[in-house]
Amino acid sequence: MFKQETMTQKALNRLKSLSKTKSKNNSIGIHKLYADDPISADKKTWGRVSSPSTRRGFLKNSGLLAMTTALGSSIPFAKNMPAGLIPAAFSQTNDAFEIYGKEGLKILNDRPLNAETPAHLLDDAVTPSSRLFVRNNGIPPSMLEVSQDDWVLKVEGESCENPKTYKISELKNRFKSHTLQLQIECGGNGRSEFYPPAKGNQWSTGAVGCPEWSGIRIRDILEDVGIKNDAVYVAYEGKDRHLSGDPNKRSISRGVPIWKAMEDESLIAWGMNGEDLPLIHGAPLRMICPGWPASVSGKWLSKILIRDQIHDGEKMTGQSYRVPCEPVAPGTKVADEDMCIIESMPVKSLITFPRSGVNHELKRPLRIRGHAWAGDLSVKKLFLSIDFGSTWQEALLGDPINRFAWQHWSHDVIFPSQGYYEVWARAEDSNGGSQPVVLPQWNPRGYLNNACHRIAVQVKA
Ligand SMILES: Nc1nc2c(c(=O)[nH]1)N[C@H]1C(S)=C(S)[C@@H](COP(=O)(O)O)O[C@H]1N2
Ligand SMILES: [Mo]
């Protein structure tokens, strides 16, 4: 899907000039640029106003790769390709603005690119790559930079006995491969519901997914280099760039305590759903530490650091991916030293069928289904309510296919009359913890919203 196209010399020159043009527009996302004034946006971005025929020629020459570079993210792509090198369709709605290889995602930001999946498109047992959310903090590397043959992974850090550099072929040949279905969820998923609102991507429910990943255990690599006794944390560095374009700044570099990195399901992955990792999801190599905020699952992985202290990389410190150590009133400013790092994500569930807003015939039962997950724990029970939480019915809940895979549930609901109903889903974890029906504890950055998902059903006689 993300196969590189043949590059002609002409296309390479074009790429160079595009990246120059792009830097002039550094401060503004292309989506916004086009929303404001599509015609002049075309001119600013491409240096000319194009006609449909010249555009077609351009696409044939340098293709998706050039668009990737121009947009500073992986290939946002317009569905219908009307006039304009970058179609004026970008200016209209999110529906007209598509990311290459994706289907029906909602774009929240295009610089950096962030897009979430509507709940009804997360219905698959295993999330296909076309439906996995995208969360970038910076500018991903280009297709040219992520070849499997040239890529190296360095392992070093204060608590690393013998720093080493591995080629991908070595990782594949020397260590045992594992394929597991593992859930990742952005720490900010659900942020849009908090009040007072928190800055950042206004995720609703769609920054979660559960694809099948293939790779090796992080533990096997750590043991290969040797871990000193004072090791505390394992962190990643990736090959994406800071939004400013400054090569000395990093967009994100996070990590996990060493025990989490040593778990059976913490992987260095090169594959997703039986194919090579798509560029947008971290090709050619990424970390997966499931059940924790997905920000610990570093994409475009180029370095693993074994640290003798809690990692202090970009977005590890300050207020990033942290919540108040003690509960605070909504709207409170909290000092950095009173913020604690988020570890396991809380219990949560999603209704993936039917889509909210369906009409349903009164005389038939309606089979509702979805998934549930619980960070490092598992889900023990799943309840549905059709009366705003007054009464709850227990759904049929399956076991995870492996630890850290989400669990599927379903239940036949019989509505007592025609009219407007809401179906609410509430999961309970293996420690007896439940999803809140209203909202969990407010926090300044709007993390960890695991409130019940609800859909609307109009029942007709
Ligand atoms: N190198 C790198 N790794 C990264 C990020 C990033 O911006 N750069 N974003 C993180 C965050 S915040 C999330 S939620 C997940 C998103 O993974 P996905 O885009 O494959 O869904 O990747 C994480 N890993
Ligand atoms: Mo995230």
Side-chain angles (χ1 to χ4, degrees), residues 347-349 371-373 379-383 425-429 433-436 452:
V347 60
K348 198 160 171 179
S349 61
H371 320 290
W373 58 97
V379 181
K380 274 282 134 74
K381 284 182 175 165
L382 191 295
F383 298 96
R426 182 173 63 81
E428 283 181 14
D429 67 32
S434 168
Q435 289 185 259
C452 290

Side-chain angles (χ1 to χ4, degrees), residues 112-123:
L113 187 64
N114 286 278
E116 72 171 320
T117 317
H120 69 280
L121 293 183
L122 284 171
D123 194 41

Side-chain angles (χ1 to χ4, degrees), residues 114 133 135-137 185-189 191 201 203 207 252 293-296 321 447:
N114 286 278
F133 76 100
R135 191 336 181 198
N136 292 341
N137 288 267
E185 179 178 16
C186 182
N189 196 22
R191 175 179 291 134
N201 290 297
W203 303 108
I252 187 166
S295 53
V296 300
Y321 300 103
Y447 296 121

